Amino acid sequence: MGVALTRSMQWSAAGHGTRTLEVTPLNEAILTEIVMFVESFIYKHPQEAKYVFVEPLEWKTNLDPSAFGSGYIVSETTVNSEDVDKNGQPLLFLSVPQIKIRSFGQLSRFLFIAKSTKLKEAQACIEANRNPVAKILGLDYKVIDEISEDSSVLSILDKITKDDDPASETKMKIAMLLKQLDLHLLNHTLKHISL
């Protein structure tokens, strides 16, 4: 996913502060593809959707706590998911306006809740999390973005087979799904540009 984010998406020129995604038809098309991938993740990959990210994806959201319903503990300014990790920490935590999401399952649910603002939320998430693969799988897995196509997959598989982490198989599946998404986004970009 990182190659598509850095090479295909169009970013504003670096000035004061952080770079943002430009408002272009190509960026909107890529964001739409990412949203479709994440929304379907919970249904297509239910086991992997439960995997807890190494670090949460964090960004400023415009979503109000009142938008959340069952499955969440809601107050005027905060939301906690009822889904928690092994330490009892919620997989989604919102303290207006900052949100932290720690699984694809919660990310998928969040986009459904966001409804008409899901593209804006996806954009805010990508702008705030420039290396989402490292946050999802850990720094060792950022090789997905840094090494050529064939050796990248081999490096990931080698790392996972040597890993003592019981979630290694799930990490491998997620790494492969993210790599497939990245290739899909790159192909989608080429098609979009050729039109």
Side-chain angles (χ1 to χ4, degrees):
M1 188 160 85
V3 175
L5 293 181
T6 56
R7 294 188 186 161
S8 297
M9 295 193 92
Q10 299 160 328
W11 294 88
S12 65
H16 299 293
T18 58
R19 291 176 39 175
T20 59
L21 288 173
E22 291 181 7
V23 178
T24 65
L26 177 59
N27 280 352
E28 187 173 333
I30 292 171
L31 285 171
T32 300
E33 291 297 313
I34 291 170
V35 165
M36 288 182 354
F37 171 82
V38 173
E39 281 184 324
S40 67
F41 200 93
I42 196 168
Y43 303 109
K44 289 183 176 179
H45 312 285
Q47 196 61 38
E48 291 79 13
K50 296 174 187 173
Y51 170 77
V52 178
F53 300 163
V54 173
E55 292 180 50
L57 296 176
E58 298 181 53
W59 70 95
K60 288 185 178 175
T61 181
N62 290 316
L63 210 56
D64 191 80
S66 63
F68 292 83
S70 64
Y72 298 94
I73 302 162
V74 182
S75 75
E76 283 186 34
T77 59
T78 64
V79 176
N80 287 305
S81 65
E82 291 177 356
D83 290 345
V84 295
D85 66 12
K86 63 183 178 187
N87 299 320
Q89 297 297 314
L91 298 182
L92 179 146
F93 176 72
L94 167 64
S95 180
V96 176
Q98 200 69 22
I99 190 161
K100 296 179 182 182
I101 297 181
R102 301 176 54 225
S103 75
F104 274 111
Q106 285 300 319
L107 195 55
S108 181
R109 288 183 187 106
F110 175 82
L111 289 177
F112 282 116
I113 293 166
K115 297 179 184 171
S116 64
T117 63
K118 60 184 155 193
L119 281 180
K120 288 277 185 212
E121 292 293 341
Q123 179 176 344
C125 178
I126 289 168
E127 289 173 350
N129 299 280
R130 296 299 294 273
N131 192 350
V133 174
K135 286 192 167 197
I136 293 167
L137 297 173
L139 288 174
D140 292 339
Y141 292 90
K142 73 179 181 176
V143 296
I144 294 173
D145 302 336
E146 296 175 352
I147 301 174
S148 71
E149 299 296 322
D150 295 333
S151 62
S152 172
V153 174
L154 294 175
S155 296
I156 293 166
L157 293 173
D158 186 51
K159 160 71 179 137
I160 291 168
T161 55
K162 292 178 183 174
D163 199 344
D164 292 334
D165 186 353
S168 291
E169 187 176 336
T170 302
K171 277 185 173 182
M172 179 182 69
K173 287 179 183 175
I174 291 172
M176 298 305 285
L177 290 168
L178 292 174
K179 190 62 179 173
Q180 288 171 358
L181 173 63
D182 199 37
L183 293 173
H184 171 75
L185 293 174
L186 291 171
N187 286 331
H188 190 75
T189 299
L190 290 174
K191 287 178 189 172
H192 188 85
I193 291 170
S194 69
L195 295 174

